[in-house]
């Protein structure tokens, strides 16, 4: 092999090495960064502004001048600032409003419209949003565009919201789902079918589900979500004199005790149908005419019917930040059978038809000769948290991991082989022999020596002969 061919072979082997290293790095990155799903989908053929689609397809252009890659077509922004900035994810806070943005574009070339081949039919858009977002969790906002003659039949994308609050609710602001385009339907309010799986029809001049191909017929949909925090607290205490309050008291048979209940709306939205209901152990009886309510409408207090321990009392709605206080009395039974017993009184506050809070206060009945109740021991400290469990992976993730590991091992072996081959090429170019070749030559020399007894056995004699050969002329001594 000539020197130029050796040089070419060396260059080729080095390229293979570089490609092998790149392959290993790519698979390693895939192992670390791989996620179960994409935010958008499905995988589909993409196009550009200068090379539009030859058929009806939605949101597949990657260099849209307005939004960039059209596959990322669902975004969200906070309202109320000087400008609106749509992003793929953001943190939400109670009391603020957020706008969801869904872009649509039939990518078929405009010259297909006259024949009807470029016009999309049965075009619908649907969207979903989380009604509750909890701390350390992601809430997904999705958008789906579908058509009866599109390839693929539907495309989707997602945006995400998080919060630093324990729990935030999201509510659709009625009448804010609006379509925006260059047609006569621009500014029209869409049906709430938008938030169903079936979706709602869109269009250009009428909402008939027909969208021609080309950017001039593209548009977008927006709607507003209101972030709210639904939270309430309930406290209950008991007193012998109506002044010194605690969670429990000692009382004698026949004593009257006073209970104080404080309910507070700690969220930023109204709580509806706040109902108080009392339950208590035998040995306690509510004192008639003592149940008094204090709220924004009854600052000085209002005595209400003695139904607290029957059907309960509905105080109506509680506005954000509102505080409701209920005070009532109960009599401790005079029967000695309750001596030395703890009598529990529980209050339940329900609201929004399906939310409930409970709290209680205790009365320890003390009689002559009754020992004082033992103090409640301090709670033991919480144990050290256990290490977080490893997230479970499904069959797909396990299969992918195995394939990636096998690919890395295979690529590493291939890299090692190319290194050996490259070393051979370099040695050959330098006139050197590999270790394997040297061993082979030694074996051949030994075999020849065995077959030819007259061959010189003295190493010095061999060296002298080699020296004589090296003294030959260049044209006589060729490689």
């Amino acid at each position: 092999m000539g020197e130029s061919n050796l040089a070419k072979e060396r260059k080729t082997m080095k390229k293979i090495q570089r490609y092998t290293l790149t392959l290993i790095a790519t698979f390693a990155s895939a192992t670390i960064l791989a996620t179960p799903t994409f935010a958008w989908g499905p995988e589909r053929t993409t196009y550009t502004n200068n090379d539009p689609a030859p058929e009806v397809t939605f949101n597949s252009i990657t260099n849209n001048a307005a939004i960039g890659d059209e596959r990322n077509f669902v975004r969200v922004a906070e309202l109320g600032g000087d400008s609106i900035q749509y992003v793929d994810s953001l943190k939400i806070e109670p009391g603020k409003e957020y706008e969801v943005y869904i872009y649509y574009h039939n990518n078929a070339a405009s010259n297909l419209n006259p024949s009807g081949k470029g016009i999309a039919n049965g075009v619908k858009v649907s969207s979903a949003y989380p009604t509750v977002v909890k701390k350390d969790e992601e809430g997904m906002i999705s958008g789906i565009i579908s058509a009866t003659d599109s390839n693929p039949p539907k495309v989707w994308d997602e945006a995400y919201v998080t919060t630093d609050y324990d729990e935030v609710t999201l509510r659709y602001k009625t009448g804010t789902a609006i379509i925006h385009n260059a047609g006569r339907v621009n500014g029209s309010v869409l049906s709430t079918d938008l938030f169903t799986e079936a979706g709602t029809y869109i269009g250009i001049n009428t909402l008939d589900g027909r969208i021609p191909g080309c950017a001039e017929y593209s548009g977008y949909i927006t709607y507003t979500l209101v972030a709210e925090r639904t939270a309430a607290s309930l406290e209950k205490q008991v007193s012998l004199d109506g002044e010194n309050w605690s969670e429990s008291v000692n009382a004698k048979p026949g004593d009257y005790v006073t209970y104080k209940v404080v309910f507070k709306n700690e969220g930023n939205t109204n709580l509806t149908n706040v109902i108080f209901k009392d339950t208590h152990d035998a040995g306690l009886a509510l004192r008639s005419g003592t149940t008094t309510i204090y709220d924004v409408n009854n600052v000085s207090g209002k005595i209400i019917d003695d139904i607290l321990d029957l059907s309960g009392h509905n105080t109506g709605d509680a506005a954000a930040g509102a505080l409701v206080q209920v005070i009532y009395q109960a009599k401790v039974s005079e029967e000695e059978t309750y001596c030395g017993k703890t009598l529990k009184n529980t209050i339940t506050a329900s609201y929004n038809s399906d939310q409930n809070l409970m709290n209680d206060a205790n009365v320890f009945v003390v009689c002559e000769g009754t020992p004082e109740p033992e103090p409640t021991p301090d709670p033991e400290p919480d144990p050290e948290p256990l290490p977080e469990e490893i997230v479970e992976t499904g069959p797909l993730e396990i299969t992918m991991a195995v394939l990636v590991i096998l690919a890395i091992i295979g690529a590493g072996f291939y890299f090692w082989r190319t290194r050996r081959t490259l070393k051979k090429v370099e040695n050959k170019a330098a006139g050197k022999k590999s270790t394997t070749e040297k061993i082979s030559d030694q074996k051949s020399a030994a075999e020849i020596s065995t077959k030819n007894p007259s061959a010189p056995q003295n190493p010095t004699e061999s060296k002298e002969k080699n020296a004589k050969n090296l003294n030959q002329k260049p044209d006589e001594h060729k490689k």
Side-chain angles (χ1 to χ4, degrees), residues 17 76 80 90 97 122 164 166 192 235 242 249 297-298 305 311 320 328 337 351 405 415 455 457:
Q17 278 191 318
V76 62
L90 55 70
E97 295 185 351
D164 290 332
D166 290 337
T192 52
E235 295 181 0
V249 296
N297 298 316
N298 303 283
D305 295 336
S311 59
Y328 56 99
T337 55
Y351 57 93
I405 292 171
F415 175 71
Q457 302 298 316

Side-chain angles (χ1 to χ4, degrees), residues 472-479:
Q472 293 177 0
K473 294 179 182 179
D475 57 350
E476 295 175 343
H477 180 67
K478 296 181 179 179
K479 275 186 154 182

Side-chain angles (χ1 to χ4, degrees), residues 115-126:
S115 65
K117 185 180 178 181
I119 300 176
N121 294 284
V123 184
K124 288 184 174 184
V125 176
S126 64

